[in-house]
Every structure is written in structure tokens, then in C-alpha cells.
Amino acid sequence: MSLIRAMSVGEIIDGAFAVYRQHFATLFGIGVVCVGPPTLLYFGTLAITPLTSLWTVLTVCAVLLYSVGSLIGTGATVWGVSEAFLGRKPELGSALRFAAGKAVRVLVAGLAKWLIIGIASMVAWVVVVLIIPVLGASVLSAFLVIAGAVAALWVMVFLAAGYAVVTPSVVLEELPHAPDALGRSWLLTKGAKRKAVGVGVIVMLLITAPVVATGALSALIPGMLLLWETIGTLGQVLLYPVFSCALTLLYYDLRVRKEAFDLEHLSRQLAITGAPRA
């Protein structure tokens, strides 16, 4: 992909895979470095009796490392895709160094994003929990539980769509404060939340496909759980960079539509952010 331009959902997905194929070694390497360690830690939990103290500690560590690693990996991938747009070959070391320099801002913006989404999604459930004891066991109570679940899901999806390009914004733009990326993302996705949902849902389905497929195989062919777990998880690591590629293309698509963003803008933007050169 040589030009930054307005794209449909299908073109964003195709473009994400095209960029991934063209720079597979670098982008896959980012995935291995950033989410590989928590993945290995997860495999360690499979050899331990569930719900024991050690299992709990390892599981929590794996989740935390994956959360941090995925944010850093997204930052590195955003830079790599941007370099590819400019016709340069992104290098693994340069991408990781750039992401490391933005690590604190990426983590702060990511934490603020998920805190808002999590807290807002919980509000619907809190209301339901407070009302159910008053109404008791009734059809109305059941309806409220279902309504609360639907409302929580809608709020989560709506906010996630609005904050879809938080990481590209904080990585590529010189914002005064990291949390400002939330407002920036919300502005860019205004009127385009359906598109953000479409891109997110399609990519998430693709990324989870290996786990779903191997889960089905483990049910059909029991006794090989560890093998299926390994294949499914490795498949996720393999496809992980596609998500970041798609978010980056979505970010550029929104800027092209709203701000007439082009390659000249991108070149100046990367120079301002101090992107390292290989």
C-alpha cells in the first residue's frame, strides 16, 4: 500500500493483511517480543493445578504482562505501518525503540480508555443489582437483567468504537497529555463509530478463529488438549499484528476524510514525534 487514502471496511482489512505480508518479519517479531513472554507464562499455568496459589499468581502475571505488552506492541506496529506508508522498510529494533519511548504515554492513555469503558459498562449492572431486590423474583426482574446486559454491552461497544484510535493518536501525535488521545479519538470517530465497530469485529473474529477452531478440535479429539492449546495460542500470536495494522489504517482513513491527511503530513508528523531511523 503506497498511498494514504479513504478506505472502506473491506479495504482496511485487506490493507492490514497486505502490510503484514509485506513486512512480516518485523511485524511478527513485534508480536513475539511483546506478547510472546505472557504467552509462555500462560503455558506454564497449564502444568499447574488450577486455583492453587501459584496458578493464581502466574495467571495474574500473564494477564498483566499481556495487557502491557499488547499496548507496547500496538505502538510499535503503528510506527511500522507508518514507515511502510512512506516507502521505508520498518526494522524491528527501531520499532521497539520508538514504542519504548512512547511506552508511558501509551500505557496511560490505554489505562484511561479501559477504565472509562469498564466503569461505564458496570453502571447498568449496578442499577440492575440495586433494583432486583426491590422487585423480587418476577418477569420484570428477568427483563431488567436482560436489559442490563444489553445496555452494558451497548455502552462497551459504543465507547470502544469511540476510543478505537486512541493508541495511534497518542503514538503519532504530539498531544499535550496522554489522556488527550481519548478526546482526539472521539473526535476522529465522530460519525464513523459503525465503521470502527465493523473493523474491530471482523479483526477480532479473525484473531480468535484459531482458538475457536482448536477448541472444537479438542472436543472432537480429546486427550490432546495441550497440543490444541499450543496451536491455537500460536495462531493468535501469528495474527496479533493484524489488529494493530487495521487500527492504524482506520486512523489514517479517518484523518484523510476529516482532515485531508496525506503523505506529506505523515512525513512531517513522524519527524515531529522523533521516530528513529534504522
Side-chain angles (χ1 to χ4, degrees), residues 45-114:
T45 65
L46 299 179
I48 300 172
T49 304
L51 302 180
T52 60
S53 298
L54 181 57
W55 180 89
T56 302
V57 171
L58 290 179
T59 300
V60 170
C61 289
V63 170
L64 291 176
L65 283 175
Y66 186 88
S67 300
V68 174
S70 62
L71 288 172
I72 301 302
T74 301
T77 304
V78 166
W79 178 82
V81 174
S82 300
E83 285 288 283
F85 267 132
L86 290 175
R88 295 193 283 258
K89 182 180 179 181
E91 299 292 342
L92 177 59
S94 298
L96 292 175
R97 285 194 298 272
F98 176 76
K102 294 277 187 174
V104 174
R105 295 176 65 85
V106 170
L107 290 174
V108 169
L111 180 60
K113 164 187 170 179
W114 289 112

Side-chain angles (χ1 to χ4, degrees), residues 182-199:
L182 277 70
R184 176 64 173 150
S185 177
W186 197 266
L187 179 64
L188 287 174
T189 56
K190 184 178 180 180
K193 289 183 176 60
R194 289 184 181 179
K195 187 172 197 175
V197 171
V199 171

Side-chain angles (χ1 to χ4, degrees), residues 191-218:
K193 289 183 176 60
R194 289 184 181 179
K195 187 172 197 175
V197 171
V199 171
V201 168
I202 292 173
V203 176
M204 287 305 297
L205 288 175
L206 291 172
I207 291 177
T208 56
V211 173
V212 174
T214 53
L217 287 173
S218 65

Side-chain angles (χ1 to χ4, degrees), residues 144-255:
L144 284 175
V145 170
I146 296 174
V150 172
L153 178 62
W154 184 89
V155 169
M156 180 179 294
V157 171
F158 181 75
L159 291 177
Y163 295 143
V165 293
V166 164
T167 301
S169 297
V170 77
V171 167
L172 293 173
E173 299 184 33
E174 284 299 295
L175 302 172
H177 307 286
D180 293 340
L182 277 70
R184 176 64 173 150
S185 177
W186 197 266
L187 179 64
L188 287 174
T189 56
K190 184 178 180 180
K193 289 183 176 60
R194 289 184 181 179
K195 187 172 197 175
V197 171
V199 171
V201 168
I202 292 173
V203 176
M204 287 305 297
L205 288 175
L206 291 172
I207 291 177
T208 56
V211 173
V212 174
T214 53
L217 287 173
S218 65
L220 294 172
I221 310 175
M224 303 176 66
L225 179 61
L226 182 59
L227 174 62
W228 300 130
E229 287 268 5
T230 302
I231 294 174
T233 305
L234 290 178
Q236 271 198 312
V237 173
L238 179 65
L239 291 173
Y240 160 78
V242 176
F243 185 73
S244 301
C245 290
L247 288 184
T248 307
L249 297 190
L250 174 64
Y251 166 79
Y252 286 130
D253 168 76
L254 296 174
R255 292 203 64 180

